[in-house]
Amino acid sequence: MVVAFKVTDGQQGEWAVLRVSGELDLVTSPVLRQRVHDAVADGRHCLVLDLSEVWFCDSSGVGVLIATRRLLRSCQGSLRLILPAHGAADGSHVNRVLGALGVRRLFDVHPDVPSAVDGSSRPLSA
């Protein structure tokens, strides 16, 4: 079964929103890295990565997330991740991977895009 990897681009106020779906792995992570770099090159320094449709993430995917965080911090930007609460019994795959690697606390995580772009909302605790 081949699952298409897709990154769609959107905008919510000052926030650029990249919705990612499929597997985030060695083959596909360069695509996401390039889309992030394109957004930053366009002057968009407030970025939401919606990972709610990512069902697999390996170390190269985590590397892109960490590199994205570093890039946005270097230009005084902000990064927020969407790791949905649905399926709370097992949580999202990306959330489990980030937690297992001990890097989950590095990210500002929200359950959905509206809460991520709402300036008054609080991120989910690690």
Side-chain angles (χ1 to χ4, degrees):
M1 177 174 117
V2 176
V3 175
F5 177 79
K6 197 165 67 171
V7 180
T8 55
D9 205 346
Q11 190 80 23
Q12 296 258 342
E14 67 173 327
W15 293 89
V17 179
L18 295 180
R19 288 182 170 82
V20 185
S21 61
E23 294 186 27
L24 186 53
D25 59 18
L26 185 63
V27 173
T28 61
S29 58
V31 175
L32 180 57
R33 177 180 284 117
Q34 187 59 55
R35 295 293 293 274
V36 166
H37 282 271
D38 291 348
V40 171
D42 287 344
R44 299 186 297 167
H45 297 163
C46 292
L47 182 63
V48 173
L49 290 180
D50 182 348
L51 306 175
S52 58
E53 298 298 322
V54 172
W55 62 274
F56 177 81
C57 180
D58 70 5
S59 59
S60 58
V62 172
V64 169
L65 298 178
I66 292 171
T68 298
R69 177 182 180 269
R70 188 177 306 125
L71 173 65
L72 288 166
R73 287 173 65 101
S74 74
C75 57
Q76 285 73 51
S78 296
L79 172 64
R80 294 183 177 171
L81 302 183
I82 305 304
L83 299 175
H86 68 72
D90 58 350
S92 83
H93 176 78
V94 178
N95 206 12
R96 289 196 315 273
V97 170
L98 295 177
L101 294 172
V103 296
R104 165 71 171 70
R105 62 184 166 69
L106 298 176
F107 297 99
D108 185 359
V109 175
H110 294 263
D112 53 40
V113 172
S115 71
V117 299
D118 175 9
S120 65
S121 73
R122 304 287 316 140
L124 297 171
S125 61

